[in-house]
Each structure stands twice: as C-alpha cells, then as structure tokens.
Amino acid sequence: MQKIRNIAVIAHVDHGKTTLVDELLKQSGTFSEHQSVGERVMDSNDIERERGITILSKNTAIHYKDYKINIIDTPGHADFGGEVERVLKMVDGVLLLVDAQEGVMPQTKFVVKKALSFGLRPIVVVNKIDKPAGDPDRVVNEVFDLFAALDATDEQLDFPVVYAAAKNGYAKTKLEDENVNMQPLFEAILAHVPAPSGSVENPLQLQVFTLDYDNYVGKIGIARIFNGKVSKNQNVLMMKSDGTKVTGRISKLVGFMGLERLDIDEAECGDIVAIAGFDALDVGDSVVDPANPVPLDALHIEEPTLSVVFSVNDGPLAGTEGKSVTSNKIAERLNSEMKTNIAMRVENIGEGKFKVSGRGELQITILAENMRREGFEFCLGRPEVVVKEINGVKCEPFESLVIDCPDEFTGTVIEKLGKRKAEMTSMNPTGDGQTRIEFEIPARGLIGFRSQFLTDTKGEGIMNHSFLDFRPLIGNVEQRSNGALISMESGVALAYSLWNLQDRGVLFVDPQAKVYVGMIIGEHSRPNDLEVNPIKGKNLTNVRASGSDDAIKLVPPRKLNLERALEWIEEDELVEVTPVNIRVRKRYLDPNLRKRMAKSKGDL
C-alpha cells in the first residue's frame, strides 16, 4: 500500500497559494530536467492568469521521498467559498497561508472556520516574510487569537508554524535559520498531516467533490477514495444525495501526477482520482460497492446570494460583433456551464431571458467574460440579491466587510457605508497611517460601492468581503447619485461634440465610437439623466476667427470593464456585452417609451 498524504492549500486571495504550490512541484523533482515550467502553472485559465487569482480549485500530486502528496490549490476569493468548503472534506490536513504583512483577512477567517469545524489541524505557513513591512510574529499571534475565537481544540491551537517566501523558493521553521529550500515545509507535511483513514480491505466508498467535462467521455468526477479500492471497468453503484441509486461501470480511471493526468487501472483508499462512466454524476455523490452499499454523508453546497439576468441583445448594433447571438445558443452555453459549476443556477424566465444566480458579482462576471471571449453577444441586467423566506420572514444576504484605508479617508468611508445600511463592528489603526475598519452590510449595499470607494480613497483603499448569513430585509439602500448622459442620435461620435460635452460629466466613449439612440455615453455630473448629441460636427465657414480654432483637448474617457459597468447601472439600464465592446444603454431605447415607463412606475 502506497504512503499518501492529502492536503489543501487555503488562504485569503493573493496571499501566494498558487506560487507556493509551484515551488513544491518544482522542488519535489516532479518536473523532469528538460521541462520548461512557467509561473503559477496551476492557474491554467486565461482569466486566472490575467487577474492573478485562482477561480477553480485544482489538484496535483507530487512524490517526496517515498510518499505521494496530493495537493489541492483552492480559490481565495469569497465568491468561490463553496468550492473551498467541499475540498476540505476530501483532505486530512491543510496548509493555512497568511501574508506576513497583511495578516488575518476576512477570507482567512472563513476558511479557517470551515477547516476547524471539520476537525483538521492546520499547518500555518507565514508567507512573504521577505516583505520589508512583514511582521511574522504579529501574524502568528493574530492566527492564534483567531483560532481561540473560533473555539479551536487544544490540539488545533498547538499548530506548527513554517515561515516561507514562496516566490524565492525557501521555507524554514525558525526565522533565524538560513534560506535554503522548501524542505522544511515538506518535512512539516509528513510530520503533521495524518495518513488517510480507511482500509483497502473495506468495501468501496468514494465521493465526488469537483466536476470536469470531456466531450468524449462526458462528465468526469474528481473524487477521493475513503475505503476499499477501485479499478477500471469495475461495476459500481452510485448513490445520490436524494437517495437515488444508479448502477454503472467505471469507464475511465485517471490518476494525477504533477500537471499530468495519467490513465491508471487501479487506485486504493486515500488516493484522489478522476472517474467517468455516469451521466448523472454530481458533486457529493457516493460511488460504492453494489454488494455492500454504504453511502457517505452528502456535501453541503452553499446557496447563491446574487442573481443577474442574461438576455438576448436587441440593440441596433446586435449581431455585428459576435457569432453566437440567439437565445438558443445562450441557453446551451449557460446549461453547459451548470454541468460543472455547481455553485450556480440558471432559470429560463422567457422572452430570451435567463436568470443566473451565483455567489457574487465576480463569479457571474467571470462567466460573462468567458462567454464574450467565445464570441457571444448578450445583455446583462443590474445584479439583484436573492431574497428567501425563513420562518415566514423575508431575508436577504449579509456580508462581512473589511476595509483598509489611509487614516484621512476613514470619515468619508464610514459616512458612505452608513447610507448603505452598514453597521461598524470594529475600527483599529494599524500604525502605519492606515486604519482597518470592519462592517456588517447587506449584500445590496455593496453593489456599486467598489468604484465609489476607490474614488473616495484615491485608489489607496482595499476592501474585502465574505458572506455572513441571511438576515431580515432592511429598508432602502442608497443607489447611484449621478444621472446618465444618453445619446439622442445614432451614428459615430465626433471629437468636437465630445469636447463640448465633457463639461457635463465623465464620458465613457472615444471619438469615432459607434453610438445609437438610448445608449449611455457618460455619467452626468448631476442627479438627472440628460439627452445629448455626440455626433454633431462643427459648422464650417469661410471666415476665420481668432481663438475659435483652438485645438480640441479631450479628457481620456473612463473605460468600463464588465465589473465596473455591472456595478454602475441602475434598474432601467443594461450592459451590452460583445466580443469587441462593453457598452451601457437604457433598457428602453426610445425616449418617449422610456418616459412612459418611468411615469407608470412612478404611479405604482
């Protein structure tokens, strides 16, 4: 029987999980000499590489001495918390990474709470100790306080600590030790992560925790074997969480080594493998021995808290920039996403509209970004929170929000958040001209706050949030305070007219951009909407006047990416997403129809 250790790497976003896994892969000798390996090899998706965040949890395996160590790299962003929770059920130990400067952050608290509740004993890795402002001793104390606050057992409180600078490729158990390599971390994993429980002699028990999809073999379940052994072409019984039983055969069995996936014939308890052969495979399903079926406890999957309506693009420029524009194509793509992404739901609400619910704006905008890169064209409505009824009371999701900002901006931030129904729970100066403020805020209050927050703190503020729970609905939350500049003509925007309009507010379009009636070309400096003409040219005459032929100087427009556009819009506006452009427009393009709709809404 092979010696196996299963660990997950958990941390707040940007504390260096993927870089650490890179170093473990390189220094364990998993890559052969001639293999060229890039940075952050585990972030395989284009968007992950561009943004420097992990979106999907991924697993790899390394050999160290005569042990096989299965490592799962988890996402750090709060929107993907459900993914982390499932992964923790599959491992016997966790590496908790904490930044030597930033210390304990909201997502650190979230993942630690889950890990402790599963009885895991974390190995604390204080990463980025090479940062000039790093203070590893303070961070270790913060982690201890956090564990104590979360009612950790005595054994969990006695956690081993490893200091590391993953980017530079070294780890050590004492700060004064020499910087050599990652060996102290490997040794800590072998010493402190328990061997998998279960026995090869017991009947088969295997549970799926992540899904993948292959056009040839269909759904693939990445699973951990808790008991017994499994072999290719073996007849098994799949037991779903609702009690349904499906008999089938394992058509494909895949093992992991480094970044490779290898076809194998057999695997035994404790290992993490990928299996295929069931169309109805879902996360949390147990695959067991038909002669002795003992299912495992079902996995808890986090519920969506935010929804966005995807609809067919019906604007004047529809179909000019994208390949896939029909509702059938959009429905097909959204349904294929649901095959592997279990934290999201899709619902067809008719008239070419689909309500997609997820854990947060980031999760939904990443799906939209992937779709536009694949040639899709569609419109997005304003994000709305999912309201559910608990004991007859309507409840909405609340978030825990942590803000780090320079001392001089704290008053403005607290005032703005107060209008959004946020409740301050603590405020601590961190000593270097910065203050950390913690709030509890309805998720509605966070929609559209980020861009305003960055403006208020001159780009120096950092905000992080994670889901708390559902609480009774609070009253109205303050919305965007500025109106929109709406085009009253269709055509091509001219520099001359934009130059005249820039005093009216902030523009979103460049000269020569295509515009149409009802398209929003900027943000008005006042609360009301204003219809403007961005295609009006200069009247040319034979007479030359001194001073009137000055050069046109345009302020660069504010470029909207998907997140900023989605946060900015109000209920009567849409974001038009195409492979080439992201535009903002009114839901009703005709100004007369718009006024009629606003009036009928006002009468209600």
Side-chain angles (χ1 to χ4, degrees):
M1 185 175 170
Q2 62 185 130
K3 296 177 181 173
I4 294 174
R5 294 288 183 271
N6 294 320
I7 60 164
V9 186
I10 60 174
H12 184 79
V13 65
D14 227 13
H15 280 197
K17 294 178 295 298
T18 307
T19 310
L20 183 88
V21 175
D22 268 10
E23 279 306 315
L24 293 178
L25 278 166
K26 288 174 189 167
Q27 294 196 23
S28 63
T30 304
F31 297 131
S32 52
E33 294 295 317
H34 64 274
Q35 263 180 297
S36 65
V37 182
E39 268 190 21
R40 301 200 327 273
V41 283
M42 296 290 280
D43 282 348
S44 48
N45 176 318
D46 283 348
I47 297 181
E48 290 183 319
R49 289 192 161 283
E50 283 167 27
R51 298 182 183 213
I53 58 171
T54 302
I55 294 166
L56 308 162
S57 65
K58 299 176 206 63
N59 48 308
T60 182
I62 58 177
H63 278 303
Y64 178 71
K65 295 186 172 172
D66 52 349
Y67 286 83
K68 179 182 183 185
I69 304 174
N70 286 314
I71 303 175
I72 305 178
D73 180 20
T74 62
H77 201 283
D79 287 13
F80 309 106
E83 192 112 358
V84 180
E85 198 174 336
R86 297 196 307 276
V87 162
L88 293 177
K89 275 258 181 115
M90 299 299 136
V91 294
D92 305 301
V94 291
L95 295 183
L96 170 66
L97 247 74
V98 192
D99 185 299
Q101 181 180 339
E102 291 185 357
V104 172
M105 298 292 276
Q107 191 61 15
T108 321
K109 293 178 185 173
F110 175 82
V111 290
V112 167
K113 191 176 175 184
K114 299 291 180 203
L116 295 178
S117 67
F118 291 142
L120 298 171
R121 182 174 172 232
I123 296 172
V124 174
V125 181
V126 180
N127 194 22
K128 306 191 183 183
I129 55 169
D130 53 329
K131 275 188 172 181
D135 185 353
D137 294 333
R138 170 182 62 84
V139 171
V140 172
N141 290 335
E142 274 184 25
V143 173
F144 184 85
D145 293 344
L146 173 65
F147 279 33
L150 295 173
D151 298 328
T153 62
D154 290 348
E155 192 193 1
Q156 287 171 329
L157 282 170
D158 186 21
F159 51 81
V161 179
V162 177
Y163 302 98
K167 202 169 183 184
N168 300 335
Y170 64 82
K172 48 193 180 180
T173 47
K174 294 193 182 76
L175 280 169
E176 57 273 17
D177 289 355
E178 221 178 317
N179 304 338
V180 188
N181 54 21
M182 299 300 273
Q183 196 169 343
L185 184 55
F186 283 118
E187 294 300 339
I189 292 169
L190 300 190
H192 298 288
V193 176
S197 55
S199 161
V200 183
E201 310 305 322
N202 294 345
L204 172 67
Q205 273 186 315
L206 171 150
Q207 191 168 34
V208 175
F209 65 92
T210 305
L211 294 177
D212 208 341
Y213 193 79
D214 185 291
N215 290 333
Y216 297 105
V217 295
K219 264 190 182 176
I220 296 172
I222 297 170
R224 166 158 176 194
I225 308 166
F226 283 90
N227 268 308
K229 52 179 159 184
V230 63
S231 50
K232 197 175 172 183
N233 298 328
Q234 180 179 342
N235 289 323
V236 289
L237 178 69
M238 179 174 79
M239 299 185 77
K240 300 188 78 63
S241 46
D242 59 1
T244 321
K245 298 180 181 179
V246 184
T247 52
R249 186 172 63 84
I250 289 180
S251 60
K252 197 172 175 73
L253 187 63
V254 177
F256 297 93
M257 182 60 335
L259 302 178
E260 308 289 320
R261 290 188 174 194
L262 314 165
D263 281 344
I264 52 175
D265 294 324
E266 193 178 70
E268 49 191 46
C269 99
D271 213 347
I272 289 175
V273 292
I275 58 164
F278 292 94
D279 275 343
L281 199 64
D282 264 318
V283 166
D285 290 351
S286 302
V287 174
V288 293
D289 183 353
N292 192 349
V294 185
L296 291 148
D297 294 343
L299 292 176
H300 164 66
I301 290 157
E302 298 248 309
E303 293 177 42
T305 57
L306 197 78
S307 65
V308 169
V309 173
F310 282 62
S311 57
V312 172
N313 184 8
D314 57 356
L317 302 176
T320 56
E321 294 169 352
K323 297 198 298 280
S324 309
V325 293
T326 61
S327 62
N328 289 354
K329 286 276 189 194
I330 295 171
E332 198 180 292
R333 174 65 179 84
L334 291 174
N335 288 327
S336 79
E337 180 72 19
M338 300 308 134
K339 285 179 184 169
T340 56
N341 193 336
I342 59 140
M344 291 178 100
R345 315 256 187 287
V346 65
E347 180 190 344
N348 188 340
I349 52 178
E351 298 178 5
K353 292 180 181 172
F354 307 90
K355 190 177 190 178
V356 175
S357 308
R359 294 280 307 147
E361 280 172 74
L362 182 69
Q363 195 182 27
I364 292 170
T365 51
I366 280 171
L367 166 62
E369 181 64 38
N370 278 324
M371 285 173 67
R372 74 177 276 240
R373 289 178 185 208
E374 290 160 23
F376 282 85
E377 202 173 287
F378 50 91
C379 285
L380 296 174
R382 178 180 166 81
E384 290 176 2
V385 295
V386 173
V387 176
K388 66 176 188 179
E389 209 164 285
I390 302 171
N391 302 330
V393 180
K394 283 192 170 176
C395 295
E396 65 175 328
F398 270 68
E399 304 259 336
S400 161
L401 172 69
V402 176
I403 278 177
D404 288 297
C405 71
D407 297 342
E408 67 262 32
F409 302 127
T410 52
T412 313
V413 169
I414 294 167
E415 182 196 343
K416 294 276 169 76
L417 282 168
K419 290 177 180 170
R420 290 170 175 265
K421 299 284 190 285
E423 201 174 290
M424 188 164 73
T425 54
S426 79
M427 181 172 176
N428 297 308
T430 51
D432 49 356
Q434 298 268 337
T435 302
R436 176 168 291 185
I437 324 170
E438 300 191 18
F439 297 90
E440 290 181 1
I441 182 170
R444 269 186 308 156
L446 280 172
I447 297 172
F449 175 65
R450 188 179 295 272
S451 48
Q452 185 189 358
F453 168 72
L454 287 172
T455 309
D456 290 344
T457 59
K458 301 198 170 143
E460 290 183 47
I462 299 168
M463 61 181 269
N464 290 289
H465 54 92
S466 62
F467 174 69
L468 260 180
D469 51 13
F470 277 89
R471 295 182 187 173
L473 263 170
I474 283 192
N476 286 337
V477 169
E478 188 192 65
Q479 305 292 343
R480 189 179 85 211
S481 52
N482 292 33
L485 296 175
I486 308 162
S487 173
M488 61 203 302
E489 298 285 345
S490 298
V492 172
L494 296 178
Y496 175 73
S497 53
L498 294 181
W499 178 62
N500 283 324
L501 290 174
Q502 61 189 13
D503 294 340
R504 299 282 188 167
V506 181
L507 297 178
F508 296 159
V509 294
D510 283 309
Q512 300 304 306
K514 289 179 183 172
V515 295
Y516 51 81
V517 175
M519 177 174 152
I520 295 171
I521 63 153
E523 181 181 290
H524 193 195
S525 53
R526 300 202 174 154
N528 62 308
D529 288 350
L530 183 69
E531 292 196 19
V532 294
N533 182 353
I535 68 167
K536 184 180 173 198
K538 184 178 182 185
N539 292 328
L540 297 178
T541 67
N542 273 342
V543 182
R544 292 194 178 184
S546 85
S548 63
D549 289 327
D550 290 342
I552 289 172
K553 293 192 178 80
L554 283 177
V555 177
R558 182 195 296 171
K559 287 290 179 196
L560 293 180
N561 60 15
L562 255 174
E563 275 106 13
R564 283 182 81 171
L566 209 56
E567 280 189 340
W568 189 83
I569 59 172
E570 287 295 333
E571 275 175 42
D572 64 335
E573 295 161 356
L574 297 172
V575 178
E576 184 183 326
V577 182
T578 76
V580 186
N581 287 302
I582 291 168
R583 302 184 184 93
V584 195
R585 50 165 276 199
K586 285 289 181 186
R587 194 177 288 273
Y588 304 105
L589 298 176
D590 178 21
N592 297 325
L593 179 60
R594 205 158 53 235
K595 282 173 192 144
R596 220 168 36 242
M597 286 296 178
K599 198 172 176 200
S600 65
K601 197 174 177 191
D603 293 343
L604 289 175

